[in-house]
Amino acid sequence: MEEYITIEENVIEELTEKKSRFIANLIKVENKEEAEEKIKGIKKKYHDARHNCIAYRVMDEEAIIEKSSDDGEPSGTAGAPMLNILQKNNLCNVLVVVTRYFGGILLGTGGLVRAYSDVTINSIDKAKKIRKIIGIEFKVKLEYSNFEKFKYYCKINEINIVKTEYFEDIVCNIELKEKIKTRLISDFETKKINIKEMQEFGKKYI
């Protein structure tokens, strides 16, 4: 996958349909283990609810792991529609748990699908999204006197300095789009930027 969309922070959204309350928790997660832990936490928080239906998509290296559950609702009325919405929005590293407090009125399969889908869509609409693309991470070493010029170079070339360490020299971890890699290496080799050492770590989502 060349790119995907995730969320910046967690969102809670609520919908009431024929006296049933549907509470969507849209949660940012980094992996399957974290998603499963968050599910346990939500189920504990809403332990008195009739259903806690889930769907998530997470990156595992360059593959996507997907999971959904109807948690006792009629098959295909909750988890699958929620997962389908995550897929259609190209969302990844995202977990959605929709909690239902039954209001005493049956909604039917169509009504359930609409309710679980609508509250999921509403939570996604409310969330601030971040686009992640395949990029490359480097570690660079440079003298203190060249650091301000290097920061400016990074700014105008859309290079993100993710970590800075101060030793005898300054050591920075940087992330950049793949298309910028050739320019960075060329500028390093021709001394257009004053970097003492540069090491490529490989591809990652940035």
Side-chain angles (χ1 to χ4, degrees), residues 136-153:
I136 302 170
E137 184 176 16
F138 282 86
K139 178 174 278 191
V140 300
K141 183 186 289 187
L142 63 157
E143 294 178 357
Y144 281 76
S145 58
N146 294 317
F147 189 41
E148 289 303 317
K149 286 182 181 179
F150 178 69
K151 286 197 292 185
Y152 179 72
Y153 175 87

Side-chain angles (χ1 to χ4, degrees), residues 127-189:
K128 187 173 181 181
K129 281 74 155 192
I130 305 169
R131 186 176 299 276
K132 294 282 190 176
I133 64 168
I134 284 284
I136 302 170
E137 184 176 16
F138 282 86
K139 178 174 278 191
V140 300
K141 183 186 289 187
L142 63 157
E143 294 178 357
Y144 281 76
S145 58
N146 294 317
F147 189 41
E148 289 303 317
K149 286 182 181 179
F150 178 69
K151 286 197 292 185
Y152 179 72
Y153 175 87
C154 290
K155 183 178 179 181
I156 62 174
N157 287 286
E158 299 180 55
I159 297 171
N160 186 25
I161 300 174
V162 293
K163 184 179 179 183
T164 304
E165 295 178 293
Y166 301 90
F167 302 112
E168 186 176 337
D169 292 305
I170 289 180
V171 178
C172 297
N173 286 45
I174 59 173
E175 297 173 341
L176 54 141
K177 296 175 183 176
E178 200 161 11
K179 65 181 181 181
I180 299 170
K181 175 183 172 180
T182 303
R183 185 191 314 162
L184 175 68
I185 292 172
S186 174
D187 289 345
F188 168 63
E189 290 175 346

Side-chain angles (χ1 to χ4, degrees), residues 56-167:
Y56 66 72
R57 304 180 81 221
V58 295
M59 291 299 302
D60 181 18
E61 295 181 353
E62 292 189 25
I64 299 176
I65 296 175
E66 299 179 328
K67 183 178 177 179
S68 65
S69 168
D70 297 310
D71 193 35
E73 292 283 28
S75 180
T77 60
M82 290 156 57
L83 180 59
N84 184 250
I85 290 163
L86 296 183
Q87 292 166 339
K88 284 184 175 180
N89 285 273
N90 196 25
L91 285 164
C92 201
N93 284 4
V94 171
L95 159 71
V96 60
V97 182
V98 178
T99 300
R100 181 190 181 192
Y101 285 93
F102 184 55
I105 301 172
L106 296 175
L107 301 182
T109 55
L112 287 171
V113 171
R114 280 192 300 275
Y116 280 103
S117 297
D118 286 350
V119 76
T120 300
I121 291 167
N122 292 346
S123 68
I124 292 168
D125 289 344
K126 190 176 177 181
K128 187 173 181 181
K129 281 74 155 192
I130 305 169
R131 186 176 299 276
K132 294 282 190 176
I133 64 168
I134 284 284
I136 302 170
E137 184 176 16
F138 282 86
K139 178 174 278 191
V140 300
K141 183 186 289 187
L142 63 157
E143 294 178 357
Y144 281 76
S145 58
N146 294 317
F147 189 41
E148 289 303 317
K149 286 182 181 179
F150 178 69
K151 286 197 292 185
Y152 179 72
Y153 175 87
C154 290
K155 183 178 179 181
I156 62 174
N157 287 286
E158 299 180 55
I159 297 171
N160 186 25
I161 300 174
V162 293
K163 184 179 179 183
T164 304
E165 295 178 293
Y166 301 90
F167 302 112

